[in-house]
Structure formats: C-alpha cells, structure tokens
C-alpha cells in the first residue's frame, strides 16, 4: 500500500498514519471523519487510461493502484468469488428519457446489478479486504439495509463472520437477505441512527472491524470507483452533472473523491456538478445547504421517507457530502415520496432499469431540476441508480396499477384488450 500517504482530518487537517484501527480524528472523535491521501505520482507509474484500455479485469479491482488495499492479497481473496464481480456496472444510454426531459444526453448507471443488488457492494468489498489484511475475526456494520446486505453477501463468499445492526423497520426483503447469507442479525428497536450508535459501541467493546459509513474512512474509497467507471465508460469525457441519491452522504462524497483523484492525475479536465437528491422527509443536507450551514451546525431531525436507504436523521458523512456539492458547484434537491414512487415506473419504462425507491429518487431529482430550469439543454447528465427494485417489493407494488384478472378464455382476453385500447 505504498500509494497511501496517510489520513487527514476533514475538520482540522491533522494527519495520521493509515493503520488498521484508525477510523476518526483523535481531536474530533466520531465527528472527525478522515480523508485518505494518496501519492499520485506513485500511482501514475502503475496505471493510466491507456493501460486501463488493455485491462480485462471488469470490476472495481481494475483500479487497484487507486484503492487502499494490498493488491496481491485482494486479487487472491477475490478470485473466483462474487468479490471479483463488484463494480463495472453498465452505464446505459437513455435516449427516450432524455427526449422526454428535453436533454441531449442522459445515461443511467445501473448499480442494481451489483452482486447483492446495490451500490454498497463497492464499499463493503473494501471493508472486507481491509479487515482480512488486519486479521480481524469479525466485521460489523449498522445499516438501513443495503450496506448490511452487501457486507453479508461478500462475507458469505469467503466465510467471514459478521454482525449486523439494522432498524427493526427495514424492508423485509433486506432483512431476509442478511439472514439468508448467515449473518448474525440484531434488529434494533429504534432508528438507523440508534443502530449506528449501538454498533459503534459494540465494535469498540468487542474489537470488531467497523465498516460504518461516515466513520470508516475507506468506505469513500470503495464508493469512488463509480466515478472512475463513469469517466472511463464515457471515454474520459466528463459529464456535466451527476444525480446522486443522498442519505448519509457517503456515495456523493465518494463520487467527489473519485473525480478529485482523476483531476489530480490529469485524466479529466473538470469536476462535474454533483447533484445530491434527498427525500423531503429526510432532507437535513438540503436544509443545511440552503441555509449556508456547515456540517458541525447540523442537528438531528426526525427522518421518515418511503426511500428507506436514504432515511438518515443526521447524515453521518455530512462533511464530505456538503463539500462535494459546494466544491463541484452542484446543488441539493428535495423530492417528495410521491415523486419518488412515481419515478420507479417512469425510469423502468423509459430505459429498462427497475430501481428501489432511493435509486428512483435520483431520477425524481433530475425531473425536478429540469422543471426548475437548472440544467442546460446541451448538458450531459448521469443518474446513479443505486439499488435494484427487487429490494423493496412493497414500494414497487405501490407505484403501479393492479393488473386485471381474466377467466382462462380467449374471448375474455379479446374483451379486455378492447377495454384497454379504449381507456
Ligand atoms: C445507501 C444508499 C443510498 C445513499 O447513500 P449514502 O452514502 O447513505 O448517501 C442511496 N441509494 C441506495 C440504494 C443505497 O443503498
Ligand atoms: Zn480533527
């Protein structure tokens, strides 16, 4: 890992060595989230766009020199398992949706097609590698569902014990996914924020490796790989805007970090505008951004939304999330639950991507930004579809009309078809 120079506090700039159990700044405690700092000239000796063009590793591991893991160990552990299939999700052109919105170019990055069906596999893969390198016996995380499913699935692939804290109210399919993968699951009778606090305490009490978002600085490093992929899949032509659903803010912070790396190495020439989309009932970052508050001035709100993956009362990665939007000249946008649910079939019918509510929220945010005149007609736009619609069947069912029932007779079908045609 000679490419990492160290860790730096996002609040005070204090620097630390990148050791196994260093998570946050000593001076700032849980709030002092760290950045991982790289030696870009060392990295550039190992990787370049030209060399990537010949690389047949179609996963996040194609960017190994830019990742905080031991390359040999990572390759060995991933080989032949679902770990080797994390990342390099398709970037799909969506011309019909673009036309509906009056945009020239629109792509949807489909991270529902990760091994456990959400974007979180990118971060959990890094957590697993780092825990293995430091020989931790157990890994733990708190989660609204997907981060846990990602950790559970990837751990199952290599027989790694793990303990998961999820709010009791998480969608049933997500909880089932954890149990099926054989994780030790603790359903917390409280919110995600309660589950998070409990998990932090348990990790330090029992010496478990802590995967928590907005706490473990390496999660940003897993999530940044989507930024590399977007740019590489577009032949290094940077899109103008990327729409990203935001709960804790780790994904948007990760995309920002990834773009920052590419800029630092001179692989791209400008930072795309990062558009953070939150649900109206869980919009702590939109509020802070509109009111010009910094992360330390934010207070926990009572969050609720149909999009459980972006339900966060006090976003854990708020420092990086606000920085991402401010530095990139982007914006935060709020969308209602109704708009989120409506976006599920719109996105699915417009480009064939079936998204869970949080992922559909990114598209709802794009619709809103277009309505508000925030986007120029010649801009190139990417929407991050962060999770599969199969993750939350109940929400999907709410988003559509019930189908009609027919008797098993052709005449019935004829009658029905006529009816629909005259609708
Ligand atoms: C976790 C998650 C998000 C939000 O990511 P944050 O890093 O918490 O902002 C969005 N969509 C899906 C599907 C997720 O699982
Ligand atoms: Zn600090």
């Amino acid at each position: 890992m000679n490419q990492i120079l160290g860790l730096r506090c996002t609040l005070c700039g204090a620097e630390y060595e990148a050791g196994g159990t260093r998570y946050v700044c000593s001076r700032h405690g849980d709030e002092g989230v760290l950045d991982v700092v790289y030696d870009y000239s060392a990295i550039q000796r190992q990787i370049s766009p030209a060399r990537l063009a010949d690389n047949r590793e179609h996963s996040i591991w194609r960017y190994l020199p830019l990742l905080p893991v031991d390359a040999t160990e990572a390759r060995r552990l991933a080989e032949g398992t679902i770990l080797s299939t994390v990342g390099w999700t398709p970037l799909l052109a969506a011309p019909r949706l673009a036309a509906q919105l009056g945009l020239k170019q629109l792509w949807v990055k489909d991270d529902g097609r990760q091994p456990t069906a959400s974007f979180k596999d990118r971060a959990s893969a890094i957590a697993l590698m780092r825990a293995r390198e430091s020989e931790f016996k157990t890994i733990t995380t708190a989660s609204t569902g997907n981060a846990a499913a990602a950790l559970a699935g990837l751990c199952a692939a290599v027989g790694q014990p793990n303990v998961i804290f999820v709010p009791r109210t998480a969608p049933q399919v997500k909880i089932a996914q954890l149990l099926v993968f054989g994780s030790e699951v603790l359903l917390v009778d409280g919110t995600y924020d309660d589950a998070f606090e409990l998990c932090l305490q348990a990790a330090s009490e029992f010496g478990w490796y802590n995967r928590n978002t907005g706490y473990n600085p390496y999660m940003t490093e897993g999530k940044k790989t989507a930024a590399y992929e977007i740019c590489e899949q577009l032949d290094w032509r940077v899109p103008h805007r990327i729409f990203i659903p935001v709960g804790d803010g780790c994904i948007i912070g990760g995309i920002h970090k990834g773009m920052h790396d590419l800029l630092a190495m001179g692989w791209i020439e400008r930072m795309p505008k990062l558009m953070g989309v939150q649900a109206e009932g869980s919009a702590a970052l939109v509020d802070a951004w509109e009111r010009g508050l910094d992360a330390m001035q934010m207070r926990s709100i009572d969050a609720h939304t149909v999009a459980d993956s972006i339900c966060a009362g006090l976003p854990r990665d708020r420092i990086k999330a606000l920085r991402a939007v401010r530095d990139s000249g982007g914006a935060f946008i709020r969308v209602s639950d109704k708009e989120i649910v409506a976006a599920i079939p719109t996105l699915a019918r417009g480009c064939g991507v079936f998204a869970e509510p949080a992922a559909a929220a990114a598209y709802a945010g794009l619709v809103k930004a277009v309505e508000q005149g925030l986007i120029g007609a010649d801009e190139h736009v990417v929407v991050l579809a962060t999770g599969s619609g199969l993750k939350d069947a109940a929400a999907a069912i709410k988003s559509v009309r019930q189908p009609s029932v027919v008797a098993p007779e052709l005449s019935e079908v004829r009658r029905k078809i006529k009816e629909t045609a005259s609708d």
Side-chain angles (χ1 to χ4, degrees), residues 130-145:
R130 290 196 63 89
R132 279 291 178 117
E133 279 171 31
S134 308
E135 297 179 353
F136 278 87
K137 292 210 170 58
T138 303
I139 309 180
T140 190
T141 196
S143 168
T144 55

Side-chain angles (χ1 to χ4, degrees), residues 111-112 117-120 143-147 174 192 211 213-214 223 244-254 277-278 285 307-312 315-317 321 355-362 384-388 391:
D111 261 53
S118 89
F119 195 99
K120 299 294 196 296
S143 168
T144 55
N146 286 339
K174 292 186 180 178
Y192 165 60
R211 182 232 175 268
T213 294
K223 292 182 172 182
I244 303 160
V246 177
D248 277 322
C250 186
I251 295 181
I252 198 164
V277 184
Q278 293 207 287
L285 283 161
D308 62 287
S309 299
I310 50 172
C311 192
R316 295 289 162 173
D317 238 345
E356 71 160 88
L384 268 196
T386 45
S388 163
K391 290 269 195 173

